[in-house]
Amino acid sequence: MTSNAETYGIIVAVDGSPASDSALRWAACDAVLRKSSVTVMHVVEPVIVNWPIPPLQGTITEWQQDNAHQVIERARDALAAGAVGAENLVVRTEVRYAGVVDELVAASARAHLMVVGSRGKGAAGRVILGSVSGGLVHHARCPVVVVHAGDAQAVDYISPILVGIDGSPASEEAIAFAFDEAERRRVDLVALHAWSDVDVFPALGANWRAYEDQGHEVLGERLAGWHERYPDVTVHRRVVGDQPARSLIENSQQAQLVVVGSHGRGGFAGLLLGSVSTRVAREAEAPVMVVRGPTRS
């Protein structure tokens, strides 16, 4: 972490939605554990007015300004009530006027963590990832936690942290954050490696034991050295022959947080990890932390 990464501490992007409220509650609990400050950030996208001629671009209406004030005040109240000890948090608020995703991505370069709500469920009842949360998952400069509406209603302090491991640089970063979260929360860590990225199994007679042994070898290599750094964290290794996204989503039902990398080496034995992180962030049964790997020059 660079020194300027602590400028904002934890940023919570708010818009007044139920998922945004859940993100605030989750952020409050995490900030208490980290002893971190919290910046509540609301971005107002200017309205493009096509009449009268010539068009007035970048107009901020009085209604938008009033709404921004209400969103921030509601967020302050929700944050203060979000966790035991949250009343002592250092809380800052900031309203920006520009493109939502662009502004949040820019702010993420000076944050330790960004927390955002997903959009919730669409008309068909399916969980959908909003344009803002989806954009941050792929472009933010710090880890992003996506919280669905209801995820933080009853904060889970008992279930383990779940981390997906594939051996990519992004996966390595995810491991570091997963151990850190597990130690801070004093819970176990489940390290999951999935070695199949197809819907059907390979041809009959394939050497399944070789695939499984290779999976255990990957976990052994990637977890080497971490026990010495985090001796109090109990690690459970899990190797499965399944699609990585599907396996992580299924196992998220018994986790309090899922940690995944984004844009890996071609992911869990061949799958682009960016697609895994997007699907897991969209469908997991727990908040999801997406960690990007080191930026390539």
Side-chain angles (χ1 to χ4, degrees):
M1 296 296 172
T2 59
S3 58
N4 70 341
E6 299 300 325
T7 301
Y8 279 123
I10 297 176
I11 294 178
V12 192
V14 298
D15 61 5
S17 68
S20 174
D21 292 343
S22 292
L24 282 161
R25 287 189 288 271
W26 191 94
C29 296
D30 200 62
V32 169
L33 292 173
R34 291 176 181 272
K35 297 181 174 60
S36 171
S37 64
V38 178
T39 297
V40 178
M41 187 171 293
H42 178 64
V43 183
V44 179
E45 196 148 23
V47 176
I48 298 177
V49 181
N50 293 318
W51 187 91
I53 302 299
L56 302 175
Q57 300 202 7
T59 301
I60 303 297
T61 66
E62 184 177 348
W63 175 86
Q64 286 178 300
Q65 293 177 340
D66 291 342
N67 183 69
H69 177 75
Q70 294 174 12
V71 167
I72 289 294
E73 289 305 309
R74 174 180 174 180
R76 275 187 171 278
D77 293 340
L79 193 60
V84 175
E87 64 276 5
N88 298 320
L89 289 176
V90 175
V91 179
R92 304 180 180 90
T93 60
E94 188 171 326
V95 178
R96 295 189 174 196
Y97 300 91
V100 178
V101 175
D102 289 344
E103 284 298 305
L104 291 175
V105 169
S108 72
R110 294 189 290 137
H112 178 75
L113 187 70
M114 179 165 284
V115 185
V116 63
S118 70
R119 182 172 293 181
K121 293 188 176 181
R126 287 186 172 184
V127 175
I128 59 177
L129 200 62
S131 58
V132 173
S133 52
L136 289 173
V137 161
H138 290 291
H139 301 295
R141 304 293 297 276
C142 69
V144 175
V145 177
V146 178
V147 183
H148 299 96
D151 273 354
Q153 292 289 354
V155 178
D156 185 349
Y157 291 106
I158 300 174
S159 299
I161 304 295
L162 172 65
V163 60
I165 296 177
D166 74 341
S168 69
S171 175
E172 290 296 304
E173 292 291 306
I175 292 170
F177 276 90
F179 268 96
D180 191 55
E181 289 290 339
E183 181 181 60
R184 183 177 291 110
R185 296 161 186 262
R186 300 180 180 179
V187 296
D188 292 356
L189 177 66
V190 176
L192 175 69
H193 176 80
W195 52 261
S196 175
D197 62 354
V198 294
D199 288 322
V200 296
F201 293 120
L204 187 64
N207 189 348
W208 297 104
R209 178 61 63 183
Y211 284 107
E212 187 174 4
D213 290 345
Q214 185 180 23
H216 284 289
E217 183 178 342
V218 169
L219 282 183
E221 292 175 351
R222 300 310 170 188
L223 294 173
W226 287 103
H227 178 69
E228 288 73 18
R229 295 176 62 180
Y230 295 90
D232 296 329
V233 176
T234 300
V235 180
H236 305 274
R237 303 184 184 189
R238 192 168 299 172
V239 176
V240 295
D242 194 6
Q243 288 183 305
R246 182 167 58 194
S247 185
L248 286 165
I249 292 166
E250 180 179 340
N251 282 270
S252 72
Q253 298 175 14
Q254 289 81 45
Q256 63 171 284
L257 176 68
V258 182
V259 185
V260 294
S262 179
H263 304 298
R265 63 169 172 79
F268 292 101
L271 184 65
L272 176 64
L273 193 56
S275 62
V276 173
S277 59
T278 300
R279 183 180 170 190
V280 173
R282 181 177 66 237
E283 300 180 26
E285 297 292 330
V288 177
M289 177 186 288
V290 181
V291 184
R292 297 188 67 195
T295 301
R296 297 181 180 181
S297 59

